[in-house]
Amino acid sequence: MRIRNLYDPPTLKDRDPVVPWVPGGMTSSARLTAEGCEITVTGDSVGWLYPPLQDGLAKVVWEKADGGTLIGIRSNDTVAIYPGVTVLVRLCGYEDASLVTMLNNLGLPLVFAATDRPY
């Protein structure tokens, strides 16, 4: 099994800032900061962030600054971005979907294994 950190955290320096889609009457913006990709959504509803490119892997997920993964690990759909500020700090990808099940069963976050080494 193999997992790899796709970009050098915490800057996501190899990617453009990702801006979620928002409905009319709302605004969204994104910028790169020292922490990562800072996304700001304003309005009364919800915006949607599209999943990152798979890059030939079984799955790619965004990691939020609070340690949570933003894209669901069971599906690769768009995810809700609520009004306020969300900071993304890295992308993690894996070649074998069974890795996520194993980490979940152990109670470990996906980023526990986010280094470029075999397991």
Side-chain angles (χ1 to χ4, degrees):
M1 213 172 312
R2 192 167 177 83
I3 188 169
R4 63 184 168 136
N5 186 1
L6 298 179
Y7 298 94
D8 184 20
T11 63
L12 291 174
K13 65 183 180 183
D14 298 331
R15 295 189 62 92
D16 292 329
V18 291
V19 179
W21 175 89
V22 292
M26 292 183 65
T27 63
S28 65
S29 63
R31 65 187 182 104
L32 294 180
T33 68
E35 281 188 295
C37 179
E38 181 181 281
I39 298 172
T40 303
V41 173
T42 59
D44 296 327
S45 188
V46 65
W48 296 94
L49 183 64
Y50 294 100
L53 297 175
Q54 295 301 93
D55 195 29
L57 298 171
K59 184 73 171 203
V60 176
V61 296
W62 300 106
E63 181 196 352
K64 294 194 312 186
D66 66 5
T69 50
L70 187 56
I71 299 296
I73 58 176
R74 297 280 182 241
S75 65
N76 205 23
D77 298 329
T78 58
V79 292
I81 300 291
Y82 296 95
V85 176
T86 301
V87 178
L88 307 177
V89 293
R90 86 180 86 206
L91 286 174
C92 300
Y94 54 87
E95 296 171 352
D96 183 344
S98 65
L99 175 62
V100 172
T101 302
M102 178 186 73
L103 290 174
N104 279 342
N105 290 341
L106 294 172
L108 297 171
L110 182 63
V111 295
F112 175 81
T115 58
D116 192 14
R117 63 178 183 259
Y119 285 84

